[in-house]
Amino acid sequence: MGVEGRQDALYGADELGEDTELSPEQLTQIKAAIRQERDTITVRVRLTYDPDRRYRLTLDTPDGPVTSEPLTRTADAGPTARQMVQAAYGDRPAVSYLTSEVPPWLSEKQPVVILAQDADEDSEMREESFGWVGGFVDGGVYVYDVGDFGEGAGIYAPEHLDDRRELTAEQLTRIAESKREILKRTEEESA
């Protein structure tokens, strides 16, 4: 049974009421999932940045660290991490846990251009916008979007942000106003 099956079995067990009777097959499946859960190891894979803004994954194995080839999209990090763990641990039940450093070229409150994303299964087509970095979350960048499509916030992959492009005076003014508003609201909520 794969990890997904184990999660489904455990989730199903949590959702059952006390009066629910389980079939012998269901009980066997749940017991097997719990047993495999105990036997599964979690392996940390670190995402780091090269000076050219590409990514690398590093996995510490019993034989020493293994580093991936450079990646250009953070979306490739998960599948690559799983492949690295599979190659290092073989048939032993292991799952990857991806950690990420903060992109060294980005900092909090920094103005950025949010790049248009290609339409695919995981994202909608959008026009470019602009905003400022509010923080960093699990390898993503939390950005307050103050562009022409309405104010909001979102988490973006670092490669979807352009920190090198110069913004107009009007755009920089809108960013400064947004920062003041957000910081004022934060102070009022914490008081």
Side-chain angles (χ1 to χ4, degrees):
M1 180 186 325
V3 173
E4 291 80 14
R6 183 180 70 247
Q7 289 173 340
D8 291 344
L10 293 175
Y11 177 77
D14 291 342
E15 293 299 309
L16 296 173
E18 289 181 24
D19 298 332
T20 304
E21 293 201 25
L22 298 173
S23 71
E25 293 83 21
Q26 289 172 318
L27 288 171
T28 301
Q29 183 182 17
I30 291 170
K31 287 177 184 178
I34 291 170
R35 198 167 31 259
Q36 183 162 354
E37 177 76 18
R38 289 182 188 137
D39 295 340
T40 301
I41 60 169
T42 302
V43 180
R44 187 175 80 135
V45 181
R46 294 182 313 279
L47 185 143
T48 58
Y49 300 95
D50 288 346
D52 63 1
R53 298 187 180 201
R54 293 187 298 172
Y55 314 89
R56 288 187 191 268
L57 298 175
T58 302
L59 167 68
D60 291 325
T61 70
D63 299 326
V66 175
T67 302
S68 72
E69 293 296 320
L71 306 170
T72 57
R73 298 175 346 126
T74 52
D76 297 332
T80 302
R82 284 190 293 278
Q83 290 171 352
M84 291 173 71
V85 168
Q86 176 67 32
Y89 290 90
D91 291 336
R92 187 169 176 202
V95 293
S96 60
Y97 170 68
L98 194 60
T99 62
S100 177
E101 65 183 25
V102 171
W105 60 90
L106 294 173
S107 60
E108 286 192 34
K109 300 181 183 174
Q110 178 180 359
V112 292
V113 172
I114 302 166
L115 301 175
Q117 298 174 29
D118 295 332
D120 63 23
E121 294 176 17
D122 298 325
S123 65
E124 298 176 9
M125 183 64 172
R126 60 174 286 147
E127 300 292 326
E128 286 189 352
S129 190
F130 62 94
W132 56 283
V133 175
F136 302 92
V137 181
D138 293 332
V141 184
Y142 188 80
V143 177
Y144 290 99
D145 184 346
V146 296
D148 297 329
F149 302 104
E151 293 197 17
I155 298 174
Y156 297 91
E159 67 265 21
H160 292 155
L161 303 174
D162 183 353
D163 63 306
R164 297 175 185 168
R165 193 178 317 171
E166 289 191 33
L167 298 172
T168 66
E170 179 187 340
Q171 290 171 325
L172 291 172
T173 299
R174 288 173 63 185
I175 287 172
E177 290 169 357
S178 172
K179 285 180 190 176
R180 279 193 299 274
E181 181 182 316
I182 297 293
L183 295 174
K184 179 182 175 186
R185 192 178 328 141
T186 303
E187 288 173 3
E188 290 172 354
E189 289 173 359
S190 65

